Amino acid sequence: MKIVFLDYKTLNPGDLSFDELESLGDVILYRDTDVKNESEIIEKIGDAEAIIVNKVPISKNIIEKCNNLKYIGLCSTGYNNIDIVEAKKRNISVRNCPEYSTYAVSQFTIGLLLEICHNTYRHTESVMAGEWIKADDFCYWKHPVIELYGKTMGIVGFGNIGKNTGRIAKSLGMNVIASGSRPTDEGREIGEYVSFDELLEKSDVIALHCPLNEKTEKIINKDTISKMKDGVILLNTARGGLIDEADFREALDSGKIYAAGIDTVAVEPMLENNALRGAQNLLITPHIAWASLDTRKRLLDIIVGNLQSYMNGESINEVK
Ligand SMILES: NC(=O)c1ccc[n+]([C@@H]2O[C@H](COP(=O)([O-])OP(=O)(O)OC[C@H]3O[C@@H](n4cnc5c(N)ncnc54)[C@H](O)[C@@H]3O)[C@@H](O)[C@H]2O)c1
Ligand SMILES: O=C(O)[C@H](O)CO
């Protein structure tokens, strides 16, 4: 079987082995593919039966042109770059990789929150610059130190990552509320299910952990921000497209949003004119919550397992 991997560079910058994947068929590996160049994508896929993609968009046009395509294997949990409706229409199997980064992404989310609460990095810089030597007292702070105990974390999207973020928040003494997911007993042990509006009104910290799709695109906008508490903290390690970035910037600048920590923006790599550049009370990282070596190893195992199961006629991790 001809298998084309369109963009392996971020999964495997050179520290993993593709031996197992290559044992499954005639594998063609591309480090990168220009996400904006449909003809390059179509040419690289050619007559392949299976493709593996991380962030390359697979549009209706590409699916129509590559008419031997039977399998799209994602290199990620999120699958917002694939035209699922068109793929399903043509009986193409689309499979994602759930759960490989649950612990890493929830750790990262809480890491952003703790940095907002403590400003460890900014205080270290101040001490290293000699400000403690000149201080009048045994302690001083440049930014407020925030205790999370007793505060409410609202989690939008209470799936694998959302629930684990909730568990950590609960262990810090936070009350957890969640919206958007079907209630389960496991979820009820972590927090209370509420409506999206109630979550916006009650949360001191809001963490986004839902997929990006037509229902969730820009769910954080002027209108929903106006329903939030003044001085709310916003965390987004899911997808940048969940947020209207111009509205978000306005709320950061006005102080309506006290601070935010995000790992994703709407267009990646970030555009030069991205509205968030230069924001003062924003921690921002270049989509790396998933990227530890252990996590990527687990991810590659799932990618291989998904393809193997497709070849065996089994339906594992099929995107519905
Ligand atoms: N930054 C990173 O490195 C990174 C890594 C992995 C995943 N992600 C993102 O995190 C997202 C969540 O991952 P997960 O493993 O928890 O997925 P998941 O499928 O386990 O959970 C997603 C939850 O969102 C819920 N949901 C669906 N529509 C919703 C809506 N309209 N409003 C609110 N909730 C809704 C689903 O019911 C589900 O419970 C992924 O879709 C992906 O975009 C980011
Ligand atoms: O969805 C995912 O798995 C992450 O965003 C990394 O691609």
Side-chain angles (χ1 to χ4, degrees), residues 10 53-55 74-80 96-98 100-101 105 161 237-239 263-264 268 287-291 299:
T10 55
V53 286
N54 196 332
K55 294 292 173 277
L74 279 140
C75 231
S76 54
T77 305
Y79 46 82
N80 48 292
N96 76 335
C97 299
Y100 78 94
S101 66
V105 180
I161 299 170
T237 54
R239 284 290 181 271
D263 185 45
T264 55
E268 297 170 350
H287 206 144
I288 51 169
W290 68 289
L299 175 57

Side-chain angles (χ1 to χ4, degrees), residues 67-85:
N67 48 30
N68 208 33
L69 198 56
K70 303 275 184 310
Y71 177 90
I72 301 173
L74 279 140
C75 231
S76 54
T77 305
Y79 46 82
N80 48 292
N81 52 322
I82 313 294
D83 188 329
I84 299 292
V85 175

Side-chain angles (χ1 to χ4, degrees), residues 77-78 80 99-102 105 156-162 179-182 209-213 215-216 237-239 263-264 287-290:
T77 305
N80 48 292
E99 293 189 63
Y100 78 94
S101 66
T102 300
V105 180
V156 183
F158 213 36
N160 292 315
I161 299 170
S179 76
S181 302
R182 203 159 27 83
H209 291 299
C210 59
L212 172 62
N213 55 40
K215 287 194 191 126
T216 58
T237 54
R239 284 290 181 271
D263 185 45
T264 55
H287 206 144
I288 51 169
W290 68 289

Side-chain angles (χ1 to χ4, degrees), residues 23 58 117 175 179 189 231 244 276:
S23 73
I58 304 298
C117 293
N175 307 313
S179 76
E189 278 178 25
D244 181 312
L276 300 174

Side-chain angles (χ1 to χ4, degrees), residues 23 34 75 86 98 114 134 136 153 169 208 231 240 245 248 261 267 279 286:
S23 73
D34 182 354
C75 231
E86 192 57 30
L114 295 180
K134 295 185 205 130
D136 295 333
M153 173 176 289
L208 306 180
E245 288 175 342
F248 176 40
V267 180

